[in-house]
Amino acid sequence: MIKRLLCVLFLLPMCLQAQKELSGTFPVSDEYKWFIIYKLDATRQKYIGNGKMQEGKIQYTFPAASEKGMYRLVYSLPQEEKNFDFIYNGEEDIAFAFDGEALTFTASK
């Protein structure tokens, strides 16, 4: 009985580490097909992941071990112009709507 209790107590923190999600909407267009996420450091950007847009929607789940900080989402070419930065704090999901000109965050502080 004690072994089972210790096992549950050991595994419980792993279950409590929730993965957070980035989701957003874009205008449905042939221009927006893929997205890339970078972690921004002081001198460089580090590739984190990518995904495919489906019907103008994106969804990306951050791994549980993701660092807090500044991230960049690139949604088209040229990358220097077609991107926006956001802050990931590891505590809440991020949701946004992009209409081609303006970005509106719909869920997050």
Side-chain angles (χ1 to χ4, degrees), residues 2-106:
I2 292 178
K3 288 182 182 179
R4 288 184 184 171
L5 182 62
L6 288 175
C7 184
V8 168
L9 289 175
F10 177 73
L11 295 176
L12 187 63
M14 290 181 186
C15 297
L16 293 177
Q17 280 188 330
Q19 296 176 333
K20 300 302 174 190
E21 187 174 278
L22 170 71
S23 61
T25 58
F26 286 80
V28 177
S29 168
D30 290 337
E31 182 181 3
Y32 308 126
K33 294 181 181 180
W34 291 88
F35 66 92
I36 304 170
I37 297 178
Y38 295 102
K39 168 84 169 78
L40 300 178
D41 291 329
T43 58
R44 62 187 174 94
Q45 58 185 20
K46 177 182 161 189
Y47 171 81
I48 300 297
N50 65 30
K52 187 173 183 179
M53 288 189 198
Q54 297 178 354
E55 299 177 13
K57 296 182 180 177
I58 70 165
Q59 190 167 357
Y60 178 79
T61 303
F62 287 95
S66 293
E67 298 177 22
K68 298 177 182 179
M70 274 306 258
Y71 284 80
R72 174 169 290 154
L73 183 122
V74 176
Y75 54 89
S76 189
L77 293 175
Q79 288 190 13
E80 298 79 24
E81 296 174 12
K82 307 285 185 165
N83 68 64
F84 58 84
D85 300 341
F86 61 93
I87 298 172
Y88 173 70
N89 65 7
E91 298 174 5
E92 62 186 2
D93 294 336
I94 300 170
F96 65 88
F98 181 67
D99 66 7
E101 294 182 18
L103 175 70
T104 306
F105 287 94
T106 57

